[in-house]
Amino acid sequence: MKLIALITAVAMACVGCAHAQRPESRIYVVSKSAEGLGAALATGGSGGHDCQQEHVECMQRCWDNRYPWPYSEEQSGWYHERCIKTCREQFAECDKEQEQALREKEKKLNFSSMDRAIEWINGHKGEMTVGAIVVVAGVTFALAVNPLGWLVLVPVAVAAS
């Protein structure tokens, strides 16, 4: 989905229209490596919680609370299903919260200078995704990876109000 947004943004920048604001023509290199980009997302969001680990712990707690019955794994089918259902709901809620926190953080990617933007992005690569929108001094950029594998900020055309 974010790839589609990035492609759309790049297409808008290329095609533009008579009412479009002329974007800054310079592309800024954030890093010469995109390594680590989105790494925190694999754990379920913006690095605050590891939803997968919480799910494993939930399953363990649920199973440990089965005493005094069922006594064996053969008798535990219904109980195991109950644990799966309960923990799946908790995982979904955790994942939803992480995605919402990430969206909120991306909304706040508004900087007064390019140096500050680049410094912040480098320090938070794991929380960033390709296609994230970054506003620097009123100019809108999209985070992208160029063919060399470099992490770059590409200017985006924004329609005038």
Side-chain angles (χ1 to χ4, degrees):
M1 185 55 122
K2 294 187 188 247
L3 181 61
I4 293 171
L6 177 62
I7 291 170
T8 303
V10 171
M12 286 177 57
C14 293
V15 176
C17 71
H19 297 47
Q21 184 180 4
R22 288 200 54 90
E24 185 174 328
S25 60
R26 184 168 177 203
I27 294 175
Y28 292 89
V29 175
V30 174
S31 171
K32 292 194 177 185
S33 170
E35 189 175 330
L37 185 66
L41 303 178
T43 62
S46 63
H49 297 290
D50 183 345
C51 294
Q52 182 60 38
Q53 183 60 34
E54 288 181 14
H55 177 71
V56 169
E57 291 168 3
C58 176
M59 288 295 291
Q60 188 62 50
R61 270 192 317 273
C62 183
W63 182 250
D64 289 345
N65 289 333
R66 76 187 185 288
Y67 185 77
W69 199 81
Y71 303 107
S72 67
E73 288 188 29
E74 295 83 34
Q75 300 171 336
S76 68
W78 64 271
Y79 190 83
H80 189 261
E81 289 299 317
R82 185 182 132 215
C83 289
I84 288 174
K85 181 180 184 290
T86 301
C87 294
R88 184 182 299 141
E89 290 169 359
Q90 288 179 9
F91 179 84
E93 183 65 28
C94 177
D95 195 43
K96 182 179 173 184
E97 289 172 4
Q98 294 298 322
E99 288 177 7
Q100 183 175 353
L102 182 63
R103 279 193 299 275
E104 289 299 317
K105 183 175 283 185
E106 286 180 349
K107 285 181 187 175
K108 295 177 184 176
L109 296 178
N110 195 339
F111 301 94
S112 59
S113 73
M114 186 56 72
D115 291 337
R116 284 187 181 169
I118 290 172
E119 181 180 330
W120 190 90
I121 293 169
N122 275 322
H124 295 85
K125 263 192 201 179
E127 303 167 28
M128 300 297 293
T129 59
V130 170
I133 300 299
V134 179
V135 179
V136 181
V139 179
T140 305
F141 294 86
L143 193 63
V145 178
N146 75 2
L148 296 174
W150 295 1
L151 191 59
V152 295
L153 284 172
V154 180
V156 178
V158 180
S161 344

mmCIF file of all heavy atoms in Angstrom, residues 101-151:
data_model
loop_
_atom_site.group_PDB
_atom_site.id
_atom_site.type_symbol
_atom_site.label_atom_id
_atom_site.label_comp_id
_atom_site.label_asym_id
_atom_site.label_seq_id
_atom_site.Cartn_x
_atom_site.Cartn_y
_atom_site.Cartn_z
ATOM 1 N N ALA A 101 0.148 4.554 16.306
ATOM 2 C CA ALA A 101 1.264 5.348 16.825
ATOM 3 C C ALA A 101 2.222 5.727 15.700
ATOM 4 O O ALA A 101 2.721 6.854 15.660
ATOM 5 C CB ALA A 101 2.003 4.567 17.914
ATOM 6 N N LEU A 102 2.451 4.807 14.778
ATOM 7 C CA LEU A 102 3.335 5.089 13.650
ATOM 8 C C LEU A 102 2.729 6.159 12.747
ATOM 9 O O LEU A 102 3.420 7.076 12.317
ATOM 10 C CB LEU A 102 3.614 3.815 12.849
ATOM 11 C CG LEU A 102 4.559 3.977 11.667
ATOM 12 C CD1 LEU A 102 5.936 4.416 12.144
ATOM 13 C CD2 LEU A 102 4.656 2.691 10.886
ATOM 14 N N ARG A 103 1.426 6.060 12.470
ATOM 15 C CA ARG A 103 0.762 7.083 11.650
ATOM 16 C C ARG A 103 0.849 8.450 12.321
ATOM 17 O O ARG A 103 1.088 9.457 11.660
ATOM 18 C CB ARG A 103 -0.691 6.700 11.394
ATOM 19 C CG ARG A 103 -0.870 5.711 10.269
ATOM 20 C CD ARG A 103 -2.318 5.609 9.837
ATOM 21 N NE ARG A 103 -3.195 5.161 10.897
ATOM 22 C CZ ARG A 103 -3.425 3.881 11.213
ATOM 23 N NH1 ARG A 103 -2.836 2.940 10.539
ATOM 24 N NH2 ARG A 103 -4.240 3.562 12.187
ATOM 25 N N GLU A 104 0.647 8.487 13.630
ATOM 26 C CA GLU A 104 0.743 9.756 14.355
ATOM 27 C C GLU A 104 2.155 10.328 14.265
ATOM 28 O O GLU A 104 2.340 11.518 14.077
ATOM 29 C CB GLU A 104 0.341 9.567 15.824
ATOM 30 C CG GLU A 104 -1.123 9.330 16.026
ATOM 31 C CD GLU A 104 -1.980 10.485 15.552
ATOM 32 O OE1 GLU A 104 -1.627 11.653 15.813
ATOM 33 O OE2 GLU A 104 -3.006 10.225 14.911
ATOM 34 N N LYS A 105 3.151 9.447 14.393
ATOM 35 C CA LYS A 105 4.538 9.905 14.317
ATOM 36 C C LYS A 105 4.831 10.445 12.925
ATOM 37 O O LYS A 105 5.484 11.466 12.768
ATOM 38 C CB LYS A 105 5.490 8.756 14.644
ATOM 39 C CG LYS A 105 6.944 9.193 14.652
ATOM 40 C CD LYS A 105 7.838 8.083 15.100
ATOM 41 C CE LYS A 105 7.703 7.983 16.603
ATOM 42 N NZ LYS A 105 8.579 7.028 17.227
ATOM 43 N N GLU A 106 4.330 9.757 11.884
ATOM 44 C CA GLU A 106 4.576 10.212 10.519
ATOM 45 C C GLU A 106 3.907 11.558 10.254
ATOM 46 O O GLU A 106 4.424 12.371 9.505
ATOM 47 C CB GLU A 106 4.126 9.159 9.511
ATOM 48 C CG GLU A 106 5.063 7.964 9.459
ATOM 49 C CD GLU A 106 4.641 6.913 8.465
ATOM 50 O OE1 GLU A 106 3.514 6.976 7.948
ATOM 51 O OE2 GLU A 106 5.449 6.011 8.216
ATOM 52 N N LYS A 107 2.767 11.797 10.901
ATOM 53 C CA LYS A 107 2.095 13.083 10.745
ATOM 54 C C LYS A 107 2.956 14.212 11.313
ATOM 55 O O LYS A 107 2.855 15.347 10.885
ATOM 56 C CB LYS A 107 0.747 13.075 11.470
ATOM 57 C CG LYS A 107 -0.325 12.300 10.770
ATOM 58 C CD LYS A 107 -1.610 12.374 11.568
ATOM 59 C CE LYS A 107 -2.660 11.476 10.994
ATOM 60 N NZ LYS A 107 -3.873 11.447 11.825
ATOM 61 N N LYS A 108 3.775 13.883 12.292
ATOM 62 C CA LYS A 108 4.576 14.891 12.969
ATOM 63 C C LYS A 108 5.936 15.098 12.319
ATOM 64 O O LYS A 108 6.779 15.777 12.868
ATOM 65 C CB LYS A 108 4.758 14.495 14.431
ATOM 66 C CG LYS A 108 3.452 14.485 15.190
ATOM 67 C CD LYS A 108 3.649 14.032 16.606
ATOM 68 C CE LYS A 108 2.295 13.953 17.308
ATOM 69 N NZ LYS A 108 2.419 13.440 18.653
ATOM 70 N N LEU A 109 6.171 14.511 11.173
ATOM 71 C CA LEU A 109 7.465 14.648 10.506
ATOM 72 C C LEU A 109 7.514 15.982 9.772
ATOM 73 O O LEU A 109 7.476 16.059 8.558
ATOM 74 C CB LEU A 109 7.714 13.470 9.557
ATOM 75 C CG LEU A 109 7.825 12.112 10.231
ATOM 76 C CD1 LEU A 109 8.032 11.014 9.204
ATOM 77 C CD2 LEU A 109 8.945 12.100 11.245
ATOM 78 N N ASN A 110 7.596 17.027 10.555
ATOM 79 C CA ASN A 110 7.614 18.383 10.042
ATOM 80 C C ASN A 110 8.820 19.081 10.654
ATOM 81 O O ASN A 110 8.892 19.244 11.868
ATOM 82 C CB ASN A 110 6.313 19.094 10.426
ATOM 83 C CG ASN A 110 6.118 20.357 9.637
ATOM 84 O OD1 ASN A 110 7.050 20.932 9.100
ATOM 85 N ND2 ASN A 110 4.872 20.810 9.586
ATOM 86 N N PHE A 111 9.776 19.481 9.809
ATOM 87 C CA PHE A 111 11.029 20.034 10.293
ATOM 88 C C PHE A 111 11.264 21.423 9.710
ATOM 89 O O PHE A 111 10.802 21.732 8.623
ATOM 90 C CB PHE A 111 12.195 19.113 9.914
ATOM 91 C CG PHE A 111 12.046 17.723 10.463
ATOM 92 C CD1 PHE A 111 11.459 16.721 9.705
ATOM 93 C CD2 PHE A 111 12.487 17.426 11.738
ATOM 94 C CE1 PHE A 111 11.309 15.445 10.216
ATOM 95 C CE2 PHE A 111 12.341 16.145 12.250
ATOM 96 C CZ PHE A 111 11.758 15.153 11.492
ATOM 97 N N SER A 112 12.046 22.227 10.432
ATOM 98 C CA SER A 112 12.352 23.574 9.956
ATOM 99 C C SER A 112 13.578 23.600 9.048
ATOM 100 O O SER A 112 13.744 24.532 8.275
ATOM 101 C CB SER A 112 12.570 24.506 11.157
ATOM 102 O OG SER A 112 13.632 24.015 11.961
ATOM 103 N N SER A 113 14.425 22.576 9.149
ATOM 104 C CA SER A 113 15.611 22.548 8.285
ATOM 105 C C SER A 113 15.886 21.116 7.820
ATOM 106 O O SER A 113 15.533 20.151 8.502
ATOM 107 C CB SER A 113 16.842 23.088 9.014
ATOM 108 O OG SER A 113 17.294 22.156 9.971
ATOM 109 N N MET A 114 16.535 21.013 6.666
ATOM 110 C CA MET A 114 16.846 19.706 6.110
ATOM 111 C C MET A 114 17.826 18.954 7.002
ATOM 112 O O MET A 114 17.718 17.742 7.162
ATOM 113 C CB MET A 114 17.405 19.848 4.682
ATOM 114 C CG MET A 114 17.616 18.527 4.001
ATOM 115 S SD MET A 114 16.151 17.458 3.905
ATOM 116 C CE MET A 114 15.161 18.313 2.699
ATOM 117 N N ASP A 115 18.780 19.662 7.604
ATOM 118 C CA ASP A 115 19.749 19.008 8.492
ATOM 119 C C ASP A 115 19.052 18.308 9.655
ATOM 120 O O ASP A 115 19.387 17.181 10.005
ATOM 121 C CB ASP A 115 20.772 20.019 9.027
ATOM 122 C CG ASP A 115 21.707 20.530 7.948
ATOM 123 O OD1 ASP A 115 21.877 19.825 6.926
ATOM 124 O OD2 ASP A 115 22.263 21.635 8.116
ATOM 125 N N ARG A 116 18.075 18.983 10.258
ATOM 126 C CA ARG A 116 17.329 18.386 11.372
ATOM 127 C C ARG A 116 16.529 17.175 10.906
ATOM 128 O O ARG A 116 16.463 16.165 11.596
ATOM 129 C CB ARG A 116 16.379 19.404 11.987
ATOM 130 C CG ARG A 116 17.073 20.398 12.851
ATOM 131 C CD ARG A 116 16.068 21.270 13.548
ATOM 132 N NE ARG A 116 16.747 22.257 14.380
ATOM 133 C CZ ARG A 116 16.145 23.257 14.938
ATOM 134 N NH1 ARG A 116 14.854 23.432 14.777
ATOM 135 N NH2 ARG A 116 16.822 24.106 15.684
ATOM 136 N N ALA A 117 15.923 17.280 9.739
ATOM 137 C CA ALA A 117 15.138 16.173 9.201
ATOM 138 C C ALA A 117 16.021 14.950 8.969
ATOM 139 O O ALA A 117 15.685 13.833 9.378
ATOM 140 C CB ALA A 117 14.455 16.582 7.898
ATOM 141 N N ILE A 118 17.153 15.149 8.321
ATOM 142 C CA ILE A 118 18.061 14.041 8.012
ATOM 143 C C ILE A 118 18.598 13.419 9.306
ATOM 144 O O ILE A 118 18.645 12.197 9.438
ATOM 145 C CB ILE A 118 19.198 14.514 7.081
ATOM 146 C CG1 ILE A 118 18.623 14.798 5.688
ATOM 147 C CG2 ILE A 118 20.312 13.481 7.007
ATOM 148 C CD1 ILE A 118 19.599 15.451 4.722
ATOM 149 N N GLU A 119 18.955 14.249 10.244
ATOM 150 C CA GLU A 119 19.467 13.746 11.531
ATOM 151 C C GLU A 119 18.399 12.903 12.233
ATOM 152 O O GLU A 119 18.671 11.820 12.746
ATOM 153 C CB GLU A 119 19.888 14.920 12.406
ATOM 154 C CG GLU A 119 20.461 14.522 13.737
ATOM 155 C CD GLU A 119 20.857 15.729 14.580
ATOM 156 O OE1 GLU A 119 21.220 16.776 14.004
ATOM 157 O OE2 GLU A 119 20.792 15.619 15.818
ATOM 158 N N TRP A 120 17.159 13.394 12.257
ATOM 159 C CA TRP A 120 16.086 12.668 12.931
ATOM 160 C C TRP A 120 15.803 11.349 12.218
ATOM 161 O O TRP A 120 15.653 10.313 12.871
ATOM 162 C CB TRP A 120 14.819 13.522 12.978
ATOM 163 C CG TRP A 120 13.783 12.899 13.863
ATOM 164 C CD1 TRP A 120 13.613 13.112 15.190
ATOM 165 C CD2 TRP A 120 12.800 11.937 13.474
ATOM 166 N NE1 TRP A 120 12.573 12.344 15.659
ATOM 167 C CE2 TRP A 120 12.059 11.609 14.626
ATOM 168 C CE3 TRP A 120 12.478 11.308 12.276
ATOM 169 C CZ2 TRP A 120 11.019 10.695 14.615
ATOM 170 C CZ3 TRP A 120 11.440 10.385 12.257
ATOM 171 C CH2 TRP A 120 10.712 10.085 13.424
ATOM 172 N N ILE A 121 15.717 11.370 10.906
ATOM 173 C CA ILE A 121 15.424 10.146 10.156
ATOM 174 C C ILE A 121 16.518 9.109 10.383
ATOM 175 O O ILE A 121 16.227 7.929 10.588
ATOM 176 C CB ILE A 121 15.244 10.453 8.657
ATOM 177 C CG1 ILE A 121 13.976 11.282 8.443
ATOM 178 C CG2 ILE A 121 15.174 9.155 7.843
ATOM 179 C CD1 ILE A 121 13.848 11.867 7.055
ATOM 180 N N ASN A 122 17.781 9.526 10.352
ATOM 181 C CA ASN A 122 18.881 8.594 10.597
ATOM 182 C C ASN A 122 18.782 7.954 11.978
ATOM 183 O O ASN A 122 19.113 6.790 12.150
ATOM 184 C CB ASN A 122 20.239 9.276 10.430
ATOM 185 C CG ASN A 122 20.688 9.283 8.996
ATOM 186 O OD1 ASN A 122 20.478 8.330 8.251
ATOM 187 N ND2 ASN A 122 21.313 10.373 8.581
ATOM 188 N N GLY A 123 18.321 8.698 12.952
ATOM 189 C CA GLY A 123 18.180 8.171 14.303
ATOM 190 C C GLY A 123 16.946 7.318 14.514
ATOM 191 O O GLY A 123 16.813 6.635 15.527
ATOM 192 N N HIS A 124 16.018 7.358 13.554
ATOM 193 C CA HIS A 124 14.750 6.626 13.697
ATOM 194 C C HIS A 124 14.453 5.764 12.470
ATOM 195 O O HIS A 124 13.291 5.542 12.135
ATOM 196 C CB HIS A 124 13.609 7.618 13.931
ATOM 197 C CG HIS A 124 13.730 8.358 15.217
ATOM 198 N ND1 HIS A 124 14.487 9.498 15.341
ATOM 199 C CD2 HIS A 124 13.214 8.118 16.443
ATOM 200 C CE1 HIS A 124 14.415 9.934 16.589
ATOM 201 N NE2 HIS A 124 13.659 9.112 17.279
ATOM 202 N N LYS A 125 15.476 5.276 11.796
ATOM 203 C CA LYS A 125 15.285 4.485 10.576
ATOM 204 C C LYS A 125 14.352 3.303 10.784
ATOM 205 O O LYS A 125 13.535 2.984 9.933
ATOM 206 C CB LYS A 125 16.626 3.950 10.073
ATOM 207 C CG LYS A 125 17.266 4.750 9.007
ATOM 208 C CD LYS A 125 18.401 3.910 8.448
ATOM 209 C CE LYS A 125 19.407 4.729 7.747
ATOM 210 N NZ LYS A 125 20.499 3.912 7.232
ATOM 211 N N GLY A 126 14.497 2.638 11.917
ATOM 212 C CA GLY A 126 13.683 1.460 12.186
ATOM 213 C C GLY A 126 12.203 1.752 12.245
ATOM 214 O O GLY A 126 11.378 0.873 12.015
ATOM 215 N N GLU A 127 11.860 2.987 12.530
ATOM 216 C CA GLU A 127 10.461 3.379 12.656
ATOM 217 C C GLU A 127 9.902 3.954 11.359
ATOM 218 O O GLU A 127 8.714 4.246 11.274
ATOM 219 C CB GLU A 127 10.324 4.418 13.770
ATOM 220 C CG GLU A 127 10.837 3.934 15.098
ATOM 221 C CD GLU A 127 10.996 5.058 16.099
ATOM 222 O OE1 GLU A 127 10.267 6.058 16.002
ATOM 223 O OE2 GLU A 127 11.867 4.932 16.974
ATOM 224 N N MET A 128 10.751 4.143 10.372
ATOM 225 C CA MET A 128 10.345 4.770 9.117
ATOM 226 C C MET A 128 10.001 3.721 8.067
ATOM 227 O O MET A 128 10.439 2.587 8.147
ATOM 228 C CB MET A 128 11.470 5.656 8.577
ATOM 229 C CG MET A 128 11.878 6.785 9.511
ATOM 230 S SD MET A 128 10.554 7.969 9.818
ATOM 231 C CE MET A 128 10.391 8.695 8.216
ATOM 232 N N THR A 129 9.216 4.137 7.075
ATOM 233 C CA THR A 129 8.874 3.269 5.960
ATOM 234 C C THR A 129 9.085 4.021 4.655
ATOM 235 O O THR A 129 9.033 5.253 4.621
ATOM 236 C CB THR A 129 7.395 2.833 6.015
ATOM 237 O OG1 THR A 129 6.576 4.007 5.993
ATOM 238 C CG2 THR A 129 7.096 2.028 7.255
ATOM 239 N N VAL A 130 9.310 3.258 3.606
ATOM 240 C CA VAL A 130 9.395 3.873 2.278
ATOM 241 C C VAL A 130 8.047 4.517 1.997
ATOM 242 O O VAL A 130 6.998 3.931 2.245
ATOM 243 C CB VAL A 130 9.737 2.816 1.203
ATOM 244 C CG1 VAL A 130 9.589 3.395 -0.190
ATOM 245 C CG2 VAL A 130 11.149 2.286 1.416
ATOM 246 N N GLY A 131 8.057 5.732 1.506
ATOM 247 C CA GLY A 131 6.822 6.448 1.210
ATOM 248 C C GLY A 131 6.384 7.390 2.315
ATOM 249 O O GLY A 131 5.415 8.127 2.145
ATOM 250 N N ALA A 132 7.083 7.384 3.454
ATOM 251 C CA ALA A 132 6.731 8.293 4.543
ATOM 252 C C ALA A 132 6.871 9.733 4.037
ATOM 253 O O ALA A 132 7.809 10.062 3.321
ATOM 254 C CB ALA A 132 7.638 8.068 5.747
ATOM 255 N N ILE A 133 5.925 10.557 4.402
ATOM 256 C CA ILE A 133 5.938 11.954 3.977
ATOM 257 C C ILE A 133 6.633 12.790 5.042
ATOM 258 O O ILE A 133 6.330 12.701 6.224
ATOM 259 C CB ILE A 133 4.491 12.462 3.751
ATOM 260 C CG1 ILE A 133 3.798 11.632 2.672
ATOM 261 C CG2 ILE A 133 4.480 13.937 3.407
ATOM 262 C CD1 ILE A 133 4.466 11.672 1.317
ATOM 263 N N VAL A 134 7.578 13.602 4.599
ATOM 264 C CA VAL A 134 8.350 14.472 5.485
ATOM 265 C C VAL A 134 8.227 15.898 4.945
ATOM 266 O O VAL A 134 8.439 16.137 3.759
ATOM 267 C CB VAL A 134 9.842 14.043 5.501
ATOM 268 C CG1 VAL A 134 10.644 14.962 6.401
ATOM 269 C CG2 VAL A 134 9.979 12.594 5.937
ATOM 270 N N VAL A 135 7.870 16.830 5.814
ATOM 271 C CA VAL A 135 7.752 18.233 5.422
ATOM 272 C C VAL A 135 8.927 18.991 6.023
ATOM 273 O O VAL A 135 9.154 18.944 7.230
ATOM 274 C CB VAL A 135 6.409 18.843 5.892
ATOM 275 C CG1 VAL A 135 6.315 20.301 5.500
ATOM 276 C CG2 VAL A 135 5.236 18.048 5.337
ATOM 277 N N VAL A 136 9.683 19.658 5.142
ATOM 278 C CA VAL A 136 10.842 20.434 5.586
ATOM 279 C C VAL A 136 10.661 21.862 5.105
ATOM 280 O O VAL A 136 10.625 22.124 3.899
ATOM 281 C CB VAL A 136 12.159 19.840 5.035
ATOM 282 C CG1 VAL A 136 13.340 20.655 5.529
ATOM 283 C CG2 VAL A 136 12.300 18.383 5.422
ATOM 284 N N ALA A 137 10.508 22.784 6.042
ATOM 285 C CA ALA A 137 10.328 24.203 5.749
ATOM 286 C C ALA A 137 9.224 24.425 4.714
ATOM 287 O O ALA A 137 9.377 25.203 3.777
ATOM 288 C CB ALA A 137 11.640 24.816 5.291
ATOM 289 N N GLY A 138 8.127 23.693 4.866
ATOM 290 C CA GLY A 138 6.982 23.857 3.982
ATOM 291 C C GLY A 138 7.054 23.075 2.678
ATOM 292 O O GLY A 138 6.100 23.063 1.912
ATOM 293 N N VAL A 139 8.153 22.426 2.400
ATOM 294 C CA VAL A 139 8.297 21.625 1.176
ATOM 295 C C VAL A 139 8.092 20.163 1.544
ATOM 296 O O VAL A 139 8.662 19.666 2.504
ATOM 297 C CB VAL A 139 9.685 21.833 0.526
ATOM 298 C CG1 VAL A 139 9.830 20.988 -0.729
ATOM 299 C CG2 VAL A 139 9.902 23.306 0.206
ATOM 300 N N THR A 140 7.274 19.466 0.758
ATOM 301 C CA THR A 140 6.941 18.077 1.041
ATOM 302 C C THR A 140 7.875 17.129 0.299
ATOM 303 O O THR A 140 8.103 17.280 -0.898
ATOM 304 C CB THR A 140 5.478 17.791 0.627
ATOM 305 O OG1 THR A 140 4.630 18.730 1.274
ATOM 306 C CG2 THR A 140 5.070 16.388 1.014
ATOM 307 N N PHE A 141 8.374 16.142 1.037
ATOM 308 C CA PHE A 141 9.256 15.122 0.490
ATOM 309 C C PHE A 141 8.703 13.744 0.829
ATOM 310 O O PHE A 141 7.987 13.595 1.820
ATOM 311 C CB PHE A 141 10.664 15.228 1.098
ATOM 312 C CG PHE A 141 11.396 16.481 0.737
ATOM 313 C CD1 PHE A 141 11.226 17.642 1.468
ATOM 314 C CD2 PHE A 141 12.264 16.502 -0.343
ATOM 315 C CE1 PHE A 141 11.903 18.798 1.147
ATOM 316 C CE2 PHE A 141 12.944 17.659 -0.678
ATOM 317 C CZ PHE A 141 12.766 18.818 0.060
ATOM 318 N N ALA A 142 9.057 12.761 0.012
ATOM 319 C CA ALA A 142 8.726 11.369 0.299
ATOM 320 C C ALA A 142 10.024 10.617 0.522
ATOM 321 O O ALA A 142 11.015 10.834 -0.188
ATOM 322 C CB ALA A 142 7.950 10.751 -0.857
ATOM 323 N N LEU A 143 10.029 9.741 1.492
ATOM 324 C CA LEU A 143 11.198 8.926 1.768
ATOM 325 C C LEU A 143 11.223 7.780 0.760
ATOM 326 O O LEU A 143 10.217 7.088 0.574
ATOM 327 C CB LEU A 143 11.121 8.381 3.194
ATOM 328 C CG LEU A 143 12.385 7.771 3.778
ATOM 329 C CD1 LEU A 143 13.488 8.824 3.881
ATOM 330 C CD2 LEU A 143 12.115 7.196 5.145
ATOM 331 N N ALA A 144 12.359 7.591 0.107
ATOM 332 C CA ALA A 144 12.463 6.560 -0.933
ATOM 333 C C ALA A 144 13.847 5.928 -0.887
ATOM 334 O O ALA A 144 14.756 6.414 -0.221
ATOM 335 C CB ALA A 144 12.223 7.188 -2.308
ATOM 336 N N VAL A 145 13.986 4.822 -1.608
ATOM 337 C CA VAL A 145 15.272 4.166 -1.764
ATOM 338 C C VAL A 145 15.611 4.232 -3.246
ATOM 339 O O VAL A 145 14.829 3.781 -4.088
ATOM 340 C CB VAL A 145 15.223 2.694 -1.288
ATOM 341 C CG1 VAL A 145 16.561 2.007 -1.510
ATOM 342 C CG2 VAL A 145 14.826 2.633 0.180
ATOM 343 N N ASN A 146 16.770 4.814 -3.574
ATOM 344 C CA ASN A 146 17.131 4.938 -4.981
ATOM 345 C C ASN A 146 17.745 3.632 -5.483
ATOM 346 O O ASN A 146 17.973 2.714 -4.696
ATOM 347 C CB ASN A 146 18.042 6.153 -5.204
ATOM 348 C CG ASN A 146 19.471 5.941 -4.733
ATOM 349 O OD1 ASN A 146 19.853 4.878 -4.252
ATOM 350 N ND2 ASN A 146 20.280 6.974 -4.858
ATOM 351 N N PRO A 147 18.011 3.518 -6.790
ATOM 352 C CA PRO A 147 18.552 2.267 -7.335
ATOM 353 C C PRO A 147 19.891 1.839 -6.728
ATOM 354 O O PRO A 147 20.243 0.663 -6.786
ATOM 355 C CB PRO A 147 18.712 2.574 -8.824
ATOM 356 C CG PRO A 147 17.697 3.635 -9.094
ATOM 357 C CD PRO A 147 17.661 4.463 -7.850
ATOM 358 N N LEU A 148 20.636 2.754 -6.140
ATOM 359 C CA LEU A 148 21.899 2.389 -5.506
ATOM 360 C C LEU A 148 21.698 1.848 -4.094
ATOM 361 O O LEU A 148 22.648 1.429 -3.439
ATOM 362 C CB LEU A 148 22.823 3.614 -5.446
ATOM 363 C CG LEU A 148 23.264 4.190 -6.792
ATOM 364 C CD1 LEU A 148 24.039 5.477 -6.580
ATOM 365 C CD2 LEU A 148 24.098 3.172 -7.542
ATOM 366 N N GLY A 149 20.457 1.887 -3.609
ATOM 367 C CA GLY A 149 20.167 1.427 -2.255
ATOM 368 C C GLY A 149 20.295 2.515 -1.211
ATOM 369 O O GLY A 149 20.273 2.239 -0.011
ATOM 370 N N TRP A 150 20.443 3.748 -1.646
ATOM 371 C CA TRP A 150 20.556 4.878 -0.728
ATOM 372 C C TRP A 150 19.172 5.320 -0.280
ATOM 373 O O TRP A 150 18.201 5.296 -1.046
ATOM 374 C CB TRP A 150 21.246 6.048 -1.388
ATOM 375 C CG TRP A 150 22.674 5.820 -1.776
ATOM 376 C CD1 TRP A 150 23.413 4.680 -1.628
ATOM 377 C CD2 TRP A 150 23.537 6.761 -2.399
ATOM 378 N NE1 TRP A 150 24.674 4.854 -2.115
ATOM 379 C CE2 TRP A 150 24.794 6.136 -2.593
ATOM 380 C CE3 TRP A 150 23.385 8.070 -2.813
ATOM 381 C CZ2 TRP A 150 25.869 6.770 -3.177
ATOM 382 C CZ3 TRP A 150 24.456 8.710 -3.390
ATOM 383 C CH2 TRP A 150 25.692 8.069 -3.567
ATOM 384 N N LEU A 151 19.072 5.769 0.931
ATOM 385 C CA LEU A 151 17.838 6.327 1.468
ATOM 386 C C LEU A 151 17.820 7.812 1.127
ATOM 387 O O LEU A 151 18.750 8.536 1.469
ATOM 388 C CB LEU A 151 17.797 6.118 2.982
ATOM 389 C CG LEU A 151 16.488 6.401 3.690
ATOM 390 C CD1 LEU A 151 15.373 5.529 3.139
ATOM 391 C CD2 LEU A 151 16.653 6.153 5.173
#
